[in-house]
Structure formats: structure tokens, C-alpha cells
Amino acid sequence: MGPIYSLADFLDMVRRRIGVISFVFIAGCFASLYWALSQPHVYESAEVIQIEQPKIADSLAPSTVEGSSARRLQLIQQQLMARSSLLEIIEKFDLFENLTALRMSEKVDLLRRSVTINGVAATREGYADDGTIAVLTITARLDNAEQAQAVAHEFANRTRDLTAAQRREQTRETLEFFSAQEDQLIAEIARLDDEMAAYRSAHDISIEGTLEFVRSEIASLNDALLELDREIIATQLARSRIDRNARAATVAKEEAELDGELASLRTQRDLLQERRAELAASIETSPEVESTLTKFQRRMEQLQGQLDVIATRRNEAEVGYSLETAARGERLITLEEARVPDFPVSMSRKKRAVMGAGAALMAGLALAFLLELRRPVIRTARQMERETGLVPVVSIPQVGRVKRSKGLAKLWQDRSEAGQKGRNARLARQTDVRRS
């Protein structure tokens, strides 16, 4: 500690530097008192929101709102802390109206630092973290208790409204997207049907159905013709086996019956052959035409498959939209509403003043110690012995130069000098008596 080694040295320093210490202490007390009075009280109000899971299980009625609640709430927090939103709140509650020197941008920054939004993650299920938030706490710290409560409640209301609006908007856009996709596919299928009909008409493919259907019908006709040929042959054999020895009338009757049956079978055969010829003529196209028809058919199957998938997705989007509009999906409910705080959370003014006074006292002592370090002087016999190791024989007190003064001071000085002379004279007489 330099020249300060003991409590006696410290007390001696305080005695000699009491003027500097007192000046710094008194000035610091006034400054701390002004600082304590100028600091406004800070009140804190908080509103707690719970994130409630959907009432209907996702396996039964899946929602189309994707993403974790933590990400959605982070986006909502960014919207709440935007400049336009903060300006609306400042104007609505007349915040910082006593701070007239602040610009609007400074007020926005002050409000942004006065409001905090903290989320508590939900308990994990297994080892995966799905980013689900269980509780959301919105805290406002302002110099007015009513304004702190109103701002915390306003931010909570906006959080709930933005969350519900965001979910409804996402489900509505999802439904509109799949509905538009379905309408587009239906229109494309209708257009492809028109193109196929026009292509068949241009290439004289008037038969309804595909080439496979025509070929299967031709195969059926071939089977029917084969059966007719067998019956014709059987009828002809039966006619050739007529007993010619019978009566002429009986023979003529049997021949007439068999001839009529043969004529009927040949007529049917001719009709089936004509039909087969027509079908064969309808499919007698070039390989390019057949390839084009195959491409049309393949494209039609693809569009039908896409339409089935889109229709399923649209149905799911309709269910999700119904859940959100009926408020049966994920919701934000208030667990603890913001209250008007009874006491400020900032440090009391008395404590500020006491701390400032203590700091002023420490500053005064530090300044006195620095002055001692600036001029290290050995002032006592104890310091002499400690610093040099020499024991002084006698200690002479410091005698200052006496300045000449006038009036009462001069009279006091003369009386002091006269008294000193008298004491010196008595001391001299005593010395002479001892010598004699």
C-alpha cells in the first residue's frame, strides 16, 4: 500500500487529507442524490401463453400447416418487432410521451429493447426434438405500471391473432393450390380427349375405343366365323347323307330344310365377314398413327393418375381448412394474463443514494491515497524505523513559519512570544540554581 502499512498510518492519512476526502464525499453525495432522483422507476408485467395441441389427432384429420411451432413463433416475433408494428403500439398507448427529446426511431428502439418474448420448449418424445413450444412468456418493462400491463397484453393479443391468421392463411392457400391444380388437370384431360377425337377423325378411326378393343373384337368375329364354318360343313355333310331311297317328297323336304339352314348360315357368315372387314379397315393405319395413339393413351393415363393424387390432397386440404376455421387445430390460450404491477422491479432511490454515497467515500479515500503516493514522506519514528532500519533518538515536531499579522492575531502572537520568553527565563534560572 505504499506509505500505508497499518491502521495508524491510514488514520493519520485520513486526518491529514480530511479536507479532500470531505469535499469528494459531499460532492458525490449531491451527485448520487441527483442521480437517484433522476432515475425513473421501472415496472414489469408479463403474460403467459400456452400452446395447445390439436384436439383431433393428426392420424385422423391431418393438418396442412407444416413446420415446427418454434419457427412459426419466431416469424411472428419478427413481425411484432417490425418498425410499423412498434409505431402502431407507441401511438396507441402514447408511450414515451414525457421523453420529448427522443426521435421516433429512438422510441422504436427503446420499445424493442423493453419487450422480450421467451419460449419454453416442450418435453421431447424419444431422442428427436420436433421444435414444439409449450409456453410463451411476453414481458414488458416500462416506467409506467399501466402502460407495462397494456403493452404486454397487446403483444400477447397480436401474437394470438397472427398465429391464427397465419395458420388459416396457410391452409387456405394450400386448398386453393390443390383446387387450381385439379381444375387444370381436368381441363388438360378434356383438351387431350378433344385432340384424340380429332386425330381419329382425321385418320378415319371412327370406331369408339382403343386399338386393343378393336383387335379383341376382330378376334371374337374370327371365332364366330370359325364356328359358322363348322356348322356349314356339318350341314353340308348332313345333306349329302340324305337317304335317296326314301320317297321323293321326304327327300325333297329334308333337302329344302338343309338348304334353308345353309343359306342362313352363309348369310350370317357374310355379315360377320363384312363386319370383320370394316374393323380391319379401321385399324389399317400407318405405324406413326398407331404410335401417336399409344402416346395419347399413355398421356391420358398419366393425367388420370395425377388427378387421383391431386384429388386426395385436395380432400386433405379441405379437412385441414375446416379444422382451422373451426378453431380445432393448434391454439394459443392464456395461462396468466398480464397484471398491473404493484411494485417497481428497479432499484429503490434510497439504495441508489446510499450506493452513490459509498462510492463517493471510496473515491475520496482513493484520491487521498493517490496524493500520498504522489508525495511519499516519512512522518513518524515508526515509519523511519520501518523504511530505513534506523531508530531515531528524538522526534522534533513540525514547526511552521509564523506569518506576521495584524490586529487580534498580532496581539495573540505577542502574548505567545512573551509567554515563551518567560518560560525560557524560568528555565534559565532553574539551570543556574542547579549549577550553583
Side-chain angles (χ1 to χ4, degrees):
M1 283 186 67
I4 309 300
Y5 288 93
S6 62
L7 179 61
D9 294 339
F10 177 76
L11 295 177
D12 183 60
M13 179 196 72
V14 173
R15 180 183 58 79
R16 286 181 284 102
R17 304 293 182 180
I18 190 64
V20 175
I21 296 174
S22 300
F23 175 78
V24 174
F25 177 70
I26 294 173
C29 287
F30 280 106
S32 62
L33 184 61
Y34 174 79
W35 171 66
L37 293 176
S38 63
Q39 292 295 320
H41 289 302
V42 177
Y43 297 90
E44 180 178 289
S45 181
E47 186 157 338
V48 182
I49 299 175
Q50 181 184 9
I51 301 176
E52 189 179 39
Q53 296 301 316
K55 296 182 178 180
I56 302 176
D58 288 340
S59 58
L60 299 177
S63 176
T64 57
V65 180
E66 296 295 334
S68 62
S69 57
R71 289 188 176 183
R72 292 196 302 272
L73 291 174
Q74 185 178 17
L75 295 176
I76 291 173
Q77 180 179 357
Q78 293 174 358
Q79 295 177 8
L80 290 175
M81 293 302 175
R83 178 183 175 87
S84 58
S85 177
L86 295 179
L87 285 176
E88 292 178 0
I89 296 177
I90 291 174
E91 294 176 357
K92 181 177 181 179
F93 298 104
D94 295 330
L95 301 179
F96 314 116
E97 59 180 359
N98 56 334
L99 304 177
T100 57
L102 291 181
R103 294 187 294 270
M104 188 56 68
S105 59
E106 295 175 339
K107 292 182 180 180
V108 169
D109 183 67
L110 185 59
L111 179 60
R112 185 179 287 120
R113 288 186 283 109
S114 300
V115 178
T116 56
I117 302 177
N118 297 320
V120 178
T123 305
R124 294 183 179 181
E125 295 183 356
Y127 297 97
D129 187 3
D130 55 356
T132 303
I133 299 296
V135 176
L136 195 67
T137 304
I138 300 175
T139 306
R141 297 170 62 95
L142 295 172
D143 57 355
N144 185 282
E146 289 77 10
Q147 289 182 348
Q149 183 269 338
V151 169
H153 189 63
E154 179 68 17
F155 270 89
N157 288 338
R158 294 198 174 201
T159 301
R160 285 189 290 267
D161 295 341
L162 285 175
T163 301
Q166 186 184 59
R167 293 182 66 89
R168 286 195 301 268
E169 181 67 18
Q170 189 170 355
T171 54
R172 184 183 61 81
E173 290 182 355
T174 304
L175 178 59
E176 290 179 354
F177 172 77
F178 285 116
S179 297
Q181 289 291 318
E182 186 179 18
D183 295 339
Q184 182 179 356
L185 286 174
I186 291 174
E188 191 169 355
I189 289 174
R191 181 181 56 81
L192 188 60
D193 281 335
D194 296 338
E195 291 182 1
M196 291 177 65
Y199 190 81
R200 287 194 183 98
S201 177
H203 293 81
D204 295 331
I205 308 176
S206 58
I207 186 69
E208 295 182 358
T210 61
L211 293 177
E212 288 77 10
F213 175 76
V214 174
R215 291 194 179 99
S216 64
E217 189 173 356
I218 292 175
S220 299
L221 292 175
N222 290 331
D223 294 338
L225 288 172
L226 181 61
E227 184 66 25
L228 287 174
D229 289 339
R230 290 175 180 173
E231 291 180 1
I232 290 172
I233 293 173
T235 304
Q236 289 177 351
L237 289 176
R239 189 177 184 281
S240 62
R241 292 174 182 174
I242 295 175
D243 187 8
R244 302 294 179 178
N245 297 323
R247 291 186 304 169
T250 302
V251 172
K253 182 180 178 181
E254 290 180 357
E255 288 180 349
E257 290 178 357
L258 292 175
D259 290 338
E261 187 176 352
L262 284 173
S264 177
L265 291 174
R266 288 188 179 119
T267 302
Q268 294 179 16
R269 186 172 181 276
D270 294 337
L271 292 175
L272 291 178
Q273 286 181 346
E274 291 178 0
R275 179 60 179 170
R276 187 181 63 177
E278 292 177 358
L279 292 176
S282 65
I283 63 173
E284 287 180 357
T285 58
S286 62
E288 291 81 6
V289 174
E290 186 175 355
S291 176
T292 303
L293 291 176
T294 304
K295 290 180 180 179
F296 275 124
Q297 189 65 27
R298 188 183 301 114
R299 178 60 179 164
M300 180 65 70
E301 293 175 356
Q302 291 177 354
L303 292 178
Q304 288 291 344
Q306 293 178 7
L307 182 60
D308 294 339
V309 174
I310 292 298
T312 304
R313 299 287 178 84
R314 181 184 57 79
N315 293 332
E316 294 177 355
E318 287 181 351
V319 173
Y321 183 73
S322 301
L323 288 175
E324 296 302 329
T325 52
R328 296 183 180 274
E330 183 182 277
R331 295 189 305 164
L332 272 66
I333 60 175
T334 301
L335 282 182
E336 183 180 346
E337 190 174 355
R339 303 291 183 182
V340 178
D342 298 326
F343 303 99
V345 295
S346 58
M347 187 183 300
S348 64
R349 293 175 178 175
K350 291 182 180 179
K351 187 179 293 185
R352 291 178 187 270
V354 171
M355 291 180 59
L361 180 60
M362 296 300 296
L365 293 175
L367 180 60
F369 181 71
L370 291 177
L371 293 176
E372 289 292 321
L373 289 179
R374 186 171 177 268
R375 189 183 179 188
V377 178
I378 298 176
R379 302 180 184 278
T380 62
R382 186 174 57 256
Q383 291 180 354
M384 182 70 180
E385 184 179 358
R386 185 177 60 241
E387 296 293 338
T388 63
L390 301 176
V391 180
V393 178
V394 63
S395 298
I396 302 176
Q398 181 179 2
V399 179
R401 181 179 296 176
V402 180
K403 298 182 180 179
R404 296 184 179 274
S405 56
K406 299 180 180 180
L408 294 176
K410 185 177 182 181
L411 179 61
W412 178 264
Q413 183 178 358
D414 293 341
R415 290 183 63 183
S416 299
E417 291 177 355
Q420 184 67 29
K421 289 179 179 180
R423 287 192 295 271
N424 292 336
R426 287 193 300 272
L427 182 60
R429 285 196 298 268
Q430 293 175 2
T431 304
D432 293 340
V433 170
R434 290 175 182 176
R435 288 177 180 178
S436 60

